[in-house]
Amino acid sequence: MAGHEPHTDEEAPNGAQPEGAHMGQPGQGVMPELDATELAESCVPAADVPRASDGAALQIQLDAFLADHEERLIGFRRDLHMHPELSFEEHRTTERIIEELTAAGLQPTVLPKGTGLICDIGPSDGPTVALRADIDALPLQDEKGVSYASTAAQVCHACGHDVHTTVLLGAALFLARQAAEGLLPGRVRLLFQPAEEVAGGALSVMAAGGIADVDRIFALHCDPRFEVGQIGVRVGPITAACDRVSVKVTGSGGHTARPHLTGDLVYALAKIVTELPAALSRRVDPRSSLSLVWGRVVAGSVANAIPDEGLAEGTVRCLDDEAWHKAPEMMRSLLDSVAGAYDVKAELEYTRIVPPAVNEATSVQMIRDAAGQMLGEEAVVPTPQSLGGEDFGWYLESIPGALARLGVRSPGGTDYDLHRGDFDVDERCIAIGVRVMAATALTALWEGRRPTGAETVEGATLS
């Protein structure tokens, strides 16, 4: 999920509101804070205020929970880091999560393919909010000299999924306590999702009914661009669609001394490789950031023979949902035009991978309010868009929700980028993530219980 230079406020795609929009003040009715006067007049200590939606009481409850659990959660993260598993192979990881949830009195259900799980907390007669974490690792060698380095050759948690999993587990254990005390005004659905790195996991969760009856969905993703203690938020597209394309070009072949007697396949392939990205970018609004980049081009075996076959492979990335849907047909039309001019045949194989992850405004406001109350308003910062892909976008195609960035870099420390063998985090981010995920779930549940027609965040709309 590499970074990308953000659009200016005037250039926000999709008509989406610019980054940081509607983040000046907390939304109406979201985890209301009891002020000192109200607490004094009531003569009730903040810790004893029964309503879980009160930010002061929730802060104290989370402080107490993390005092007991933070060290254990760090140990759990390190265990996952030492035993990473690739996509759809996360059997041990799934078993470890189940052990912890079952010990807390919860009843997780393993997904049909055998890895990943779904688990509900709280009553089903209110709104339902989903919290998602991805659990798979990458095929990379761990290059860190730490005691918890990966014990699996060429497999490493280099994208922070071990942190995501631990944060969701911590939030789950806290919310299970809240539910046992009758403090959950609805249901929280935990989605421990497999296979994000190969982009099939979200679809497998959805096929298993993972977001059935879910009103909103939220997730955090580690981001080493931000220091630990910061939460990055953005309304609208936060990550891009990412698809794979393969163009196979065929012709009659021939001698390089007589290119006029055959289709000059290499020349035609070069034209396709250079002209298609430029032409494609002119067919859509430039604010969509539609980008075709080739990663592999192959043709021929000797210098003096025009080959009869060539291949180009690459990726298409896009921040705009409408442009993403139109991209395959636009590519086919342009490809036929270029190939026809050089008397060769070109076949396009276009594979959908993930759509853009488009954050819905009200859901972003909920994260902003929850994080602001738990960490302080200064901790919530705008985040740039990324042209990296994230299969959380599949959920956001169906229901409103938001993905936020979890700061993991030590203040003044080394910036370890994602998808590198030396990537690591400041483990204080785990407690931060637990606070934000738990508070966001409660915020969304209390908002979901508001009567129809109640005042909402100004300008926020459901997607």
Side-chain angles (χ1 to χ4, degrees):
M1 299 180 65
H4 172 64
E5 184 175 343
H7 292 279
T8 63
D9 288 356
E10 293 77 18
E11 293 175 330
N14 267 355
Q17 299 164 46
E19 65 180 18
H22 307 302
M23 295 180 190
Q25 300 294 330
Q28 296 291 327
V30 180
M31 294 181 63
E33 189 86 51
L34 292 182
D35 62 30
T37 302
E38 290 172 317
L39 286 174
E41 290 176 351
S42 68
C43 298
V44 179
D48 296 330
V49 176
R51 185 178 178 187
S53 65
D54 167 44
L58 181 59
Q59 180 72 271
I60 293 172
Q61 292 163 358
L62 278 164
D63 285 346
F65 172 81
L66 288 167
D68 291 338
H69 288 80
E70 183 174 7
E71 185 175 344
R72 176 182 164 195
L73 289 171
I74 290 174
F76 182 84
R77 179 258 168 170
R78 292 186 176 189
D79 178 67
L80 294 189
H81 200 86
M82 292 176 67
H83 302 93
E85 296 171 302
L86 296 176
S87 300
F88 288 124
E89 297 177 9
E90 313 96 332
H91 297 283
R92 181 187 184 278
T93 303
T94 299
E95 290 172 2
R96 290 287 289 112
I97 300 167
I98 290 173
E99 289 173 6
E100 298 291 336
L101 295 178
T102 303
L106 300 174
Q107 297 179 326
T109 300
V110 179
L111 294 171
K113 290 186 178 181
T115 66
L117 58 95
I118 299 171
C119 184
D120 286 345
I121 304 173
S124 59
D125 57 350
T128 298
V129 172
L131 304 178
R132 173 268 205 173
D134 34 18
I135 67 174
D136 56 328
L138 284 160
L140 290 173
Q141 183 64 37
D142 194 337
E143 300 173 359
K144 299 185 300 298
V146 295
S147 62
Y148 52 87
S150 171
T151 59
Q154 294 298 320
V155 185
C156 177
H157 272 295
C159 198
H161 293 189
D162 53 335
V163 173
H164 305 166
T165 302
T166 304
V167 165
L168 183 54
L169 174 63
L173 298 178
F174 176 78
L175 292 169
R177 285 188 174 187
Q178 297 289 100
E181 296 173 7
L183 297 177
L184 281 192
R187 178 173 55 183
V188 177
R189 177 162 296 168
L190 313 173
L191 303 177
F192 288 93
Q193 179 206 301
E196 189 276 333
E197 296 295 354
V198 297
L203 294 177
S204 68
V205 170
M206 294 169 70
I211 61 171
D213 302 320
V214 170
D215 298 296
R216 292 183 189 277
I217 187 168
F218 299 93
L220 294 176
H221 196 294
C222 291
D223 194 330
R225 294 172 298 182
F226 296 115
E227 291 185 353
V228 65
Q230 292 182 312
I231 298 294
V233 294
R234 184 181 189 91
V235 174
I238 187 169
T239 64
C242 180
D243 298 333
R244 293 195 183 100
V245 295
S246 176
V247 176
K248 182 179 179 180
V249 181
T250 56
S252 57
H255 200 292
T256 57
R258 293 176 288 278
H260 59 292
L261 299 181
T262 183
D264 192 343
L265 186 136
V266 173
Y267 189 82
L269 183 59
K271 284 292 187 179
I272 289 170
V273 167
T274 56
E275 292 185 10
L276 205 59
L280 190 63
S281 69
R282 296 305 185 271
R283 290 287 188 95
V284 297
D285 189 323
R287 291 174 295 181
S288 70
S289 296
L290 181 64
S291 171
L292 167 60
V293 178
W294 304 106
R296 180 170 179 253
V297 180
V298 181
S301 58
V302 295
N304 63 345
I306 296 173
D308 58 8
E309 185 175 295
L311 180 70
E313 295 177 325
T315 60
V316 172
R317 300 177 187 269
C318 183
L319 291 169
D320 180 78
D321 194 65
E322 182 179 357
W324 178 66
H325 282 287
K326 292 179 178 179
E329 192 55 42
M330 286 191 293
M331 279 198 66
R332 288 188 179 91
S333 174
L334 292 168
L335 186 60
D336 289 342
S337 175
V338 176
Y342 299 98
D343 198 25
V344 297
K345 181 180 179 182
E347 298 177 5
L348 173 66
E349 182 179 336
Y350 194 107
T351 305
R352 292 284 195 204
I353 305 298
V354 294
V358 182
N359 283 345
E360 183 256 347
T362 301
S363 299
V364 173
Q365 183 69 63
M366 290 174 176
I367 293 179
R368 180 252 173 240
D369 287 324
Q373 286 192 329
M374 294 301 103
L375 310 177
E377 295 294 326
E378 70 283 353
V380 186
V381 296
T383 186
Q385 293 168 321
S386 167
L387 284 183
E390 163 61 73
D391 76 356
F392 192 71
W394 285 118
Y395 302 118
L396 299 181
E397 282 267 290
S398 300
I399 55 176
L403 171 73
R405 303 295 193 182
L406 175 66
V408 299
R409 189 181 76 245
S410 297
T414 303
D415 184 357
Y416 295 106
D417 200 5
L418 300 173
H419 288 221
R420 280 178 29 173
D422 60 355
F423 172 75
D424 206 356
V425 305
D426 183 324
E427 291 176 314
R428 290 176 294 178
C429 70
I430 293 172
I432 298 296
V434 171
R435 292 178 189 277
V436 173
M437 285 291 263
T440 298
L442 289 166
T443 297
L445 288 178
W446 282 106
E447 278 288 274
R449 288 177 63 90
R450 293 168 66 189
T452 303
E455 186 178 357
T456 58
V457 179
E458 181 183 357
T461 57
L462 295 179
S463 58

